[in-house]
């Protein structure tokens, strides 16, 4: 696997018309914020997700993932498939251990 070297762009970030458009509605992230993240050195969907929280809202990226992917790809002048997809993870919540034993007992009785 090739090692990625992330370097912030040395050129000044230039705002474009439409940068104030909200792309991720759940987290209220704009097109300009995504473009700036790429300008700051983020080059994959997961990096932008961790940097901005895009795709971490209520819809879990179902609404915005393709849009964010397209913006990143256009900024990097590459294909959207090369940017990757958001890595899904299960929500982490504390669970009492007794719940697991109740479920096992219920299954054994059937």
């Amino acid at each position: 696997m090739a090692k990625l070297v992330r370097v912030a762009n040395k050129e000044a970030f230039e705002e474009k018309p439409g940068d104030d458009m909200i792309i991720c509605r759940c987290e209220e992230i704009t097109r300009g914020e995504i473009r700036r993240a790429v300008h700051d050195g983020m080059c994959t969907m997961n990096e932008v997700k961790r940097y901005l929280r895009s795709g971490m809202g209520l819809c879990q990226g179902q609404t915005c993932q393709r849009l964010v992917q397209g913006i990143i790809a256009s900024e990097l002048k590459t294909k959207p498939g090369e940017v990757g997809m958001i890595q899904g993870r299960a929500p982490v919540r504390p669970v009492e251990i007794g719940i697991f034993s109740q479920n096992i007992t219920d299954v054994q009785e059937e």
Side-chain angles (χ1 to χ4, degrees):
M1 178 182 221
K3 185 176 181 179
L4 292 174
V5 178
R6 289 166 196 84
V7 179
N9 201 334
K10 294 179 181 178
E11 301 171 7
F13 178 76
E14 294 180 24
E15 292 188 19
K16 292 183 178 179
D19 274 355
D20 58 346
M21 181 188 334
I22 293 179
I23 301 298
C24 178
R25 295 182 297 192
C26 299
E27 296 294 324
E28 296 183 0
I29 297 169
T30 65
R31 181 176 182 265
E33 289 174 310
I34 297 166
R35 290 185 56 247
R36 184 174 294 279
V38 173
H39 183 79
D40 289 345
M42 307 303 131
C43 28
T44 66
M45 285 288 291
N46 285 317
E47 290 174 347
V48 173
K49 174 185 173 182
R50 291 181 190 109
Y51 194 70
L52 295 175
R53 293 189 47 83
S54 60
M56 294 178 84
L58 193 61
C59 79
Q60 294 293 294
Q62 297 297 316
T63 307
C64 64
Q65 180 171 244
R66 296 282 183 196
L67 296 170
V68 174
Q69 188 179 36
I71 294 167
I72 295 169
S74 69
E75 287 298 307
L76 295 174
K77 296 175 179 57
T78 185
K79 296 178 183 175
E82 294 177 15
V83 175
M85 300 293 281
I86 292 175
Q87 182 178 9
R89 295 186 177 177
V92 178
R93 296 184 183 126
V95 178
E96 293 181 23
I97 197 73
I99 292 174
F100 293 112
S101 66
Q102 289 172 357
N103 291 339
I104 292 172
T105 307
D106 294 341
V107 171
Q108 290 174 350
E109 290 177 2
E110 293 176 1

